Amino acid sequence: MNNKRYRLLLGTAALLVGFAALLTTSLAGDKDWSYSGERGPEYWGALSPEFALCADGTAQSPIDIRNASELDLVDIAFGYGQTANNIFNNGHTIQVNVDEGSHIVYNEITYNLLQFHFHSPSEHTINGEAAAMEIHFVHQDPNSGALAVVGILLVGGDAENGAYAPVFDNMPSEIGEPAALGEALDLEALLPKELTYFTYQGSLTTPPCSEIVRWLLLDTPVHLSGAQISAFADLYAYNARPTLPLGKRDLLLDSQ
């Protein structure tokens, strides 16, 4: 087999009607879950029958990244453009919905970019260590409903990251409906220069914890200023699900 075209199987549960609409409005339809207390991650599975996978699933996310098997994996082809967006505080994070047109191509499948959002600290860890933040770019195959989420670790630096400034300068402090971001955003500029990645099959990291996600975690972080990280932490100091066991799943690292 040509490893460059090594095909990673996607979850068969991806055929969910209306899932794109759910993802562009909120991370989950139920607002009663939390990241702490009696509605925190350890209790999600008991909050609703729809959340059962949060407790019983065997392919849950996030995970601790360690001991990955190296392979010459297919490149992620990013087709991101400049786009007008809307931004909102959905009660669990700050989310930016993007206009149609941006996408990735992975294993010859086109996944359309729906939205991106943030977690503090990072949900995925590297050898047990969390980064200051993590950004998730959520994509969907319009034909099958399968999801591909590109994750990037965000770390602190001295200088403001100008590419991220339109988002961090306009984060709403109150929960509400999406509002125009106010300026075009260069989505490709949000990515690191190196696009090698870790990959595994996993789940949404929020209820209902559906196991429908091909995770593509870039192994090069992006730097933000301390002020930018603090701007998000002032709103969401902790909105990260703890890591879950990898179990028998493959964890692969692009060896290019």
Side-chain angles (χ1 to χ4, degrees):
M1 177 185 291
N2 183 344
N3 284 334
K4 190 67 176 178
R5 294 184 176 274
Y6 184 83
R7 295 182 179 275
L8 301 167
L9 296 178
L10 296 167
T12 58
L15 301 175
L16 300 178
V17 177
F19 203 66
L22 169 66
L23 287 169
T24 54
T25 54
S26 68
L27 295 178
D30 191 309
K31 296 295 184 183
D32 292 335
W33 57 272
S34 176
Y35 285 101
S36 62
E38 294 183 354
R39 292 188 172 274
E42 64 184 298
Y43 301 106
W44 286 351
L47 295 178
S48 166
E50 297 177 357
F51 298 172
L53 278 176
C54 298
D56 301 334
T58 58
Q60 290 291 292
S61 299
I63 63 169
D64 181 43
I65 303 294
R66 64 174 71 214
N67 300 324
S69 300
E70 293 191 25
L71 287 175
D72 183 15
L73 301 175
V74 65
D75 293 338
I76 307 169
F78 286 87
Y80 284 4
Q82 289 198 346
T83 176
N85 315 275
N86 60 58
I87 187 170
F88 69 115
N89 183 332
N90 67 18
H92 300 300
T93 188
I94 299 298
Q95 180 172 309
V96 177
N97 296 335
V98 304
D99 290 341
E100 293 181 2
S102 291
H103 62 274
I104 62 171
V105 179
Y106 185 67
N107 281 331
E108 300 182 357
I109 300 173
T110 298
Y111 298 87
N112 294 327
L113 178 62
L114 304 179
Q115 51 101 331
F116 63 86
H117 60 268
F118 300 90
H119 295 273
S120 173
S122 68
E123 295 200 298
H124 290 91
T125 57
I126 307 293
N127 294 321
E129 296 293 325
M133 293 180 62
E134 185 172 341
I135 185 171
H136 292 163
F137 293 87
V138 181
H139 310 78
Q140 186 177 50
D141 175 2
N143 297 314
S144 70
L147 300 182
V149 178
V150 173
I152 302 173
L153 301 182
L154 305 176
V155 298
D158 296 328
E160 178 183 78
N161 188 318
Y164 280 78
V167 176
F168 282 83
D169 291 346
N170 292 283
M171 292 188 298
S173 60
E174 296 183 359
I175 299 170
E177 296 298 317
L181 187 57
E183 57 184 298
L185 186 64
D186 185 352
L187 295 174
E188 193 161 333
L190 304 180
L191 305 174
K193 291 183 179 180
E194 298 295 328
L195 300 176
T196 51
Y197 61 94
F198 298 95
T199 185
Y200 72 100
Q201 186 66 32
S203 73
L204 300 178
T205 63
T206 59
C209 305
S210 306
E211 295 179 341
I212 59 172
V213 180
R214 167 53 59 183
W215 279 96
L216 305 165
L217 183 70
L218 302 190
D219 65 353
T220 300
V222 165
H223 288 79
L224 304 177
S225 69
Q228 287 176 312
I229 290 172
S230 294
F232 183 82
D234 287 345
L235 301 176
Y236 292 102
Y238 191 92
N239 69 334
R241 187 188 192 190
T243 57
L244 283 302
L246 177 65
K248 296 181 180 180
R249 290 175 286 174
D250 291 329
L251 173 62
L252 306 178
L253 170 62
D254 186 3
S255 63
Q256 297 179 55

